[in-house]
Amino acid sequence: MDSATADVAHDFYPWFRVYTDGRVERFLESPLVPPSLDVRSKDIAISATASARLFLPIAAAPNEKLPLLIYIHGGFFSIESPFSSTYHGYVNSLVAQSKVIAVSIQYRLAPENPVPACYDDCYAVMKWVAQHKDCAHRPGLDPWLSEHADFGKVYLAGDSAGANLGHNMVVRTDGDGHWLKKFSGLVLIHPFFGNEEPDKLWEFICSDSGGVNDPRLNPAAHPCLLSKLRCEKVLIFTAGLDQYKQRGCTYYAALKKSGWEGAVEIENAPGENHVFHLSDPTSDKAKAMMKKVASFINPANMPPLCEKEAGCAINSA
């Protein structure tokens, strides 16, 4: 069959379409960009399927220890990359503002690589990062992490599907001796979680789905797992016009009720859509969100929000 005339077999627009000849067409993707110069950055191949872009502030002094941020990009498990202009720009700006060292994870995308490939790739990067803890230089390790990462201040963050992956990495690393007893914090921006209704996209891209209450998809349905979340604090962002807003609110409520002993905070941006901060990063609300995240992961480096900034995006959900 001619690829140009193939029929649509599965339509998940605006994320992707799968045609009867096996071709996958993606939408909403940003162009790829090289590592930057304003904040030092470089790309690292970690395994045959996983890689990352590392970011280090130019202002970092030799051997200066900085909080470590592990960032996981969104895109409904099927589009985008840490190398795209969208995510490179966001993490680059966050590193510059917060003065942290960051690892932005590249994972395999669905539907060609069904779930759990993305979870496995993120975990592979997490294990690689953890090898730098208390280690001198040796083959396979990166000197930026060995010299500058403070493993007493490790944060995970992600948006949309990346927030889902971030939560699951905290859960999955439980019992991994490389990591500390607790992560310092978890940032969930407009998280993509499930609810009690079937999700056609998840069912299509997941090769081992446990249904609507799969703990990877719907953590709110598993209070026992939430109660053991190895994280000191959690910051959740929602957006007023986001169709997934209630998923973040449900996670927040379930975490509070689970008996978990950490601190959880939720912020809502009224009148905004899903991941608005990426599509319009110069807006007042996006700038206020950026400053909130930066102060969460490195409060020692950040002045408090001014009155105007606090009024832009900081609202009770």
Side-chain angles (χ1 to χ4, degrees):
M1 180 182 294
D2 189 325
S3 178
T5 61
D7 294 329
V8 175
H10 303 280
D11 193 344
F12 291 101
Y13 184 84
W15 315 115
F16 64 87
R17 289 191 181 113
V18 181
Y19 292 85
T20 51
D21 63 356
R23 179 169 54 97
V24 175
E25 182 180 16
R26 287 186 167 84
F27 307 92
L28 298 179
E29 287 196 303
S30 307
L32 303 186
V33 295
S36 59
L37 296 176
D38 52 346
V39 168
R40 286 183 287 174
S41 59
K42 60 183 175 181
D43 299 335
I44 303 291
I46 294 168
S47 72
T49 58
S51 58
R53 179 161 287 180
L54 275 58
F55 296 80
L56 180 67
I58 290 177
N63 297 312
E64 179 182 7
K65 294 297 184 180
L66 303 173
L68 170 60
L69 171 66
I70 300 172
Y71 194 88
I72 309 178
H73 73 82
F76 286 84
F77 307 99
S78 59
I79 63 172
E80 282 295 356
S81 161
F83 314 135
S84 75
S85 58
T86 295
Y87 283 101
H88 173 86
Y90 179 75
V91 178
N92 193 85
S93 296
L94 183 56
V95 167
Q97 188 164 149
S98 59
K99 197 178 180 184
V100 299
I101 184 170
V103 177
S104 188
I105 296 178
Q106 167 83 325
Y107 54 84
R108 284 172 290 174
L109 298 177
E112 300 95 324
N113 304 286
V115 171
C118 55
Y119 294 95
D120 292 342
D121 286 350
C122 288
Y123 186 61
V125 176
M126 296 284 292
K127 289 178 65 178
W128 175 78
V129 170
Q131 290 173 18
H132 294 77
K133 182 177 178 289
D134 301 324
C135 284
H137 297 315
R138 61 182 175 84
L141 298 188
D142 185 84
W144 286 7
L145 287 172
S146 298
E147 294 175 9
H148 293 287
D150 182 348
F151 281 87
K153 299 176 181 177
V154 182
Y155 294 82
L156 276 85
D159 63 274
S160 193
N164 176 300
L165 288 161
H167 160 82
N168 279 284
M169 289 305 102
V170 174
V171 173
R172 187 164 176 174
T173 54
D174 185 20
D176 187 334
H178 291 292
W179 288 103
L180 303 176
K181 185 177 180 180
K182 287 185 178 181
F183 289 94
S184 299
L186 173 65
V187 181
L188 305 177
I189 302 174
H190 308 164
F192 173 73
F193 291 127
N195 53 20
E196 299 299 325
E197 299 177 2
D199 187 288
K200 291 182 179 180
L201 174 61
W202 174 263
E203 293 297 329
F204 180 71
I205 67 173
C206 187
S207 63
D208 60 350
S209 175
V212 296
N213 287 328
D214 188 315
R216 297 168 299 184
L217 176 66
N218 189 8
H222 300 271
C224 288
L225 287 178
L226 288 177
S227 69
K228 300 175 183 177
L229 198 64
R230 295 188 318 111
C231 189
E232 294 178 4
K233 57 183 181 177
V234 175
L235 175 60
I236 304 167
F237 289 96
T238 62
L241 302 181
D242 184 2
Q243 64 176 319
Y244 299 107
K245 174 188 175 182
Q246 190 55 46
R247 315 285 181 94
C249 295
T250 298
Y251 179 95
Y252 168 77
L255 187 57
K256 290 200 71 168
K257 293 178 181 178
S258 69
W260 176 66
E261 296 180 351
V264 59
E265 183 179 359
I266 188 167
E267 308 277 355
N268 182 54
E272 298 293 346
N273 282 299
H274 192 69
V275 297
F276 72 90
H277 63 296
L278 298 178
S279 58
D280 189 11
T282 61
S283 70
D284 287 342
K285 290 182 180 179
K287 290 179 180 178
M289 180 191 288
M290 171 73 75
K291 193 165 186 179
K292 179 70 176 181
V293 175
S295 64
F296 181 83
I297 60 180
N298 194 5
N301 188 63
M302 297 297 299
L305 289 171
C306 68
E307 184 177 350
K308 179 182 177 182
E309 291 169 328
C312 287
I314 310 303
N315 294 275
S316 171

